[in-house]
């Protein structure tokens, strides 16, 4: 950042503080005041600390408030991070143990970006499960439902009564199905232009 002429060290004052009580994430907060920054506040993680960028004119009370706001905002963003394939596989194993007596053991579980009309798919002969990237960011119980649905296909290939009996073990099946049906219905609605308040 020092190579950027808009962020010269002479325009920045730094102070390091401890995070507020119950602060999430980094062990320290570094506040950087800039005379070039007029209104905006931003923050990012840098190693084991959080850097908060604020205007130089901001009062100490405003600084304290904005540090708290930005720590909360970063924590919320970090909590929405997408599960990687390894975590997805671990989750599938736990769900199989909990709801399918550990009988469904996939060889692989991964996210894919080429499934735009399905939420998930399973190839029982290979033991592979693929979930659509469109599920990323949806509630955990919805992702869990799709995982259990595909795990059940490792045991029962079709959608007959035996298959649906397996899914009865998961208590949020109907709720998750309703959520996904709502997403599909919302996608089919005409998208009206939003009003601009310029």
């Amino acid at each position: 950042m020092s190579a950027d002429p808009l962020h010269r060290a002479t325009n920045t004052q730094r102070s390091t503080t401890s995070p507020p009580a119950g602060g999430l994430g980094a062990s320290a907060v570094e506040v950087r005041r800039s005379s070039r920054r007029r209104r905006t506040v931003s923050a990012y993680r840098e190693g084991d600390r959080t850097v908060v960028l604020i205007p130089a004119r901001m009062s100490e009370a405003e600084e304290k408030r904005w540090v708290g706001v930005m720590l909360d905002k970063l924590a919320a963003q970090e909590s929405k991070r997408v599960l990687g394939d390894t975590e997805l596989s671990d989750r599938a194993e736990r769900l199989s143990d909990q709801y399918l007596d550990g009988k469904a053991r996939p060889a692989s579980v991964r996210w894919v970006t080429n499934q735009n009309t399905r939420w998930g798919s399973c190839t029982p002969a290979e033991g592979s499960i693929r979930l659509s990237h469109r599920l990323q960011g949806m509630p955990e119980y919805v992702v869990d439902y799709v995982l259990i649905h595909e795990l059940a296909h490792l045991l029962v290939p079709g959608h007959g009564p035996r298959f649906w009996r397996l899914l009865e073990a998961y208590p949020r099946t109907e709720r998750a199905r309703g959520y996904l049906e709502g997403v599909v219905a919302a996608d089919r609605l005409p998208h009206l232009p939003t009003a601009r308040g310029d």
Side-chain angles (χ1 to χ4, degrees):
M1 205 177 199
S2 58
D4 183 349
L6 295 177
H7 297 93
R8 293 187 185 99
T10 56
N11 293 324
T12 305
Q13 302 165 357
R14 299 175 186 213
S15 66
T16 303
T17 60
S18 297
L24 302 166
S27 59
V29 176
E30 180 180 320
V31 177
R32 296 182 186 169
R33 291 176 172 265
S34 171
S35 59
R36 291 187 180 268
R37 188 174 283 269
R38 298 284 179 226
R39 294 185 194 190
T40 61
V41 176
S42 61
Y44 60 91
R45 303 285 192 211
E46 187 176 83
D48 65 346
R49 67 182 169 187
T50 302
V51 176
V52 181
L53 307 170
I54 64 172
R57 295 183 196 171
M58 193 172 276
S59 72
E60 284 187 37
E62 288 175 310
E63 173 185 323
K64 185 175 181 180
R65 183 178 74 81
W66 275 106
V67 165
V69 166
M70 298 312 288
L71 285 174
D72 290 345
K73 191 172 184 178
L74 283 174
Q77 289 170 351
E78 289 167 354
S79 73
K80 291 180 183 175
R81 282 202 178 128
V82 174
L83 295 173
D85 289 348
T86 302
E87 292 92 353
L88 201 58
S89 187
D90 292 344
R91 191 176 198 139
E93 188 173 321
R94 284 193 305 274
L95 291 168
S96 175
D97 289 343
Q98 188 172 358
Y99 298 107
L100 302 171
D101 297 323
K103 294 176 184 172
R105 292 289 176 213
S108 68
V109 183
R110 62 191 173 94
W111 295 108
V112 294
T113 57
N114 62 351
Q115 287 189 14
N116 294 315
T117 58
R118 307 174 164 201
W119 298 113
S121 62
C122 173
T123 307
E126 297 172 4
S128 63
I129 291 174
R130 294 158 305 282
L131 296 191
S132 172
H133 71 287
R134 296 178 305 137
L135 289 164
Q136 295 171 343
M138 289 189 188
E140 286 184 9
Y141 75 91
V142 175
V143 176
D144 286 352
Y145 164 73
V146 177
L147 272 173
I148 292 168
H149 185 108
E150 301 308 332
L151 285 164
H153 278 309
L154 292 176
L155 305 174
V156 180
H159 287 104
R162 188 168 158 242
F163 172 84
W164 293 110
R165 275 195 299 277
L166 288 174
L167 289 183
E168 286 173 3
Y170 183 59
R172 297 179 119 185
T173 291
E174 289 307 313
R175 185 175 178 192
R177 290 186 66 185
Y179 183 98
L180 293 171
E181 287 170 5
V183 170
V184 170
D187 284 346
R188 292 181 181 152
L189 292 174
H191 294 287
L192 300 174
T194 57
R196 295 182 68 180
D198 291 33

